[in-house]
Amino acid sequence: MEIEEAISRAKKNDQKAFNFLLDLYWDSVFGFQLKRVQNENDAEDITIQTFSRAFDKIETFNEKYTFKTWLINISKNIHIDLLRKEKNSISQIISKNNEKVFEVLDESPSVEDKIITEQNLAKLLRDIKRLKPHYQKIIHLRYFQELSYKEISEVLDEPINNVKVKLLRAKKLLAEIIKNKTKLNY
């Protein structure tokens, strides 16, 4: 899939296009933030918020600019906002637009979903434990407690978009762990 095609499809709520863009640009945005905040957890949180905001506002993306530059600008603005909030002693991050929630369609199971459902439960639980705790929790809430995005959002006290991006990232990381173990076993 080409970047322009992915952006066009993402503007039409295509889940695979969102996954493609997330996979393609995650390392760039994360690396940019890691240099700025020098803390892996904070960089990851800002990166999640960046993709959440970008996917929520994808229809505003102007094709005259590169998508990566647009993402980096969103990321930079989120970091600046967080610094301002810290300066004002506000510890909780509040979404600027809770009224309009971007609906990411989840019509068909992704490759990660198929891998997750096909694994032996005991092996799967061991693999899940290799994820960072916040990814473990979101996988547990979604697949073991079978909570909706909205319910997970309420449990974690985070915007729905952050939940969606974290879940996409958790599934990708879990799939990589499973694939790497499968390669080692052959």
Side-chain angles (χ1 to χ4, degrees), residues 113-124:
D113 288 328
K114 290 176 185 173
I115 291 172
I116 289 170
T117 56
E118 292 170 1
Q119 289 298 311
N120 175 297
L121 185 59
K123 290 180 184 175
L124 181 61

Side-chain angles (χ1 to χ4, degrees), residues 54 57-58 60-61 66-75:
K57 305 288 186 191
I58 190 112
T60 67
F61 173 69
T66 64
F67 194 72
K68 180 179 174 182
T69 302
W70 186 64
L71 286 171
I72 295 295
N73 278 328
I74 291 171
S75 182

Side-chain angles (χ1 to χ4, degrees), residues 7 10-11 21 54-61 67 70 102:
I7 293 167
K11 287 182 176 183
L21 293 170
F55 292 163
D56 187 37
K57 305 288 186 191
I58 190 112
E59 72 278 354
T60 67
F61 173 69
F67 194 72
W70 186 64
F102 186 76

Side-chain angles (χ1 to χ4, degrees), residues 51-102:
F51 282 97
S52 173
R53 190 171 296 170
F55 292 163
D56 187 37
K57 305 288 186 191
I58 190 112
E59 72 278 354
T60 67
F61 173 69
N62 185 339
E63 284 80 9
K64 289 192 299 188
Y65 305 102
T66 64
F67 194 72
K68 180 179 174 182
T69 302
W70 186 64
L71 286 171
I72 295 295
N73 278 328
I74 291 171
S75 182
K76 183 172 59 174
N77 290 336
I78 287 171
H79 182 235
I80 290 168
D81 288 346
L82 291 174
L83 291 175
R84 285 183 187 144
K85 287 178 183 178
E86 280 178 20
K87 191 174 182 180
N88 293 328
S89 300
I90 299 174
S91 61
Q92 188 176 18
I93 300 167
I94 300 170
S95 175
K96 290 184 177 178
N97 189 359
N98 282 335
E99 295 168 13
K100 181 184 173 202
V101 176
F102 186 76

Side-chain angles (χ1 to χ4, degrees), residues 13 22 64 141 181:
N13 292 344
L22 180 71
K64 289 192 299 188
L141 292 172
K181 283 182 71 176

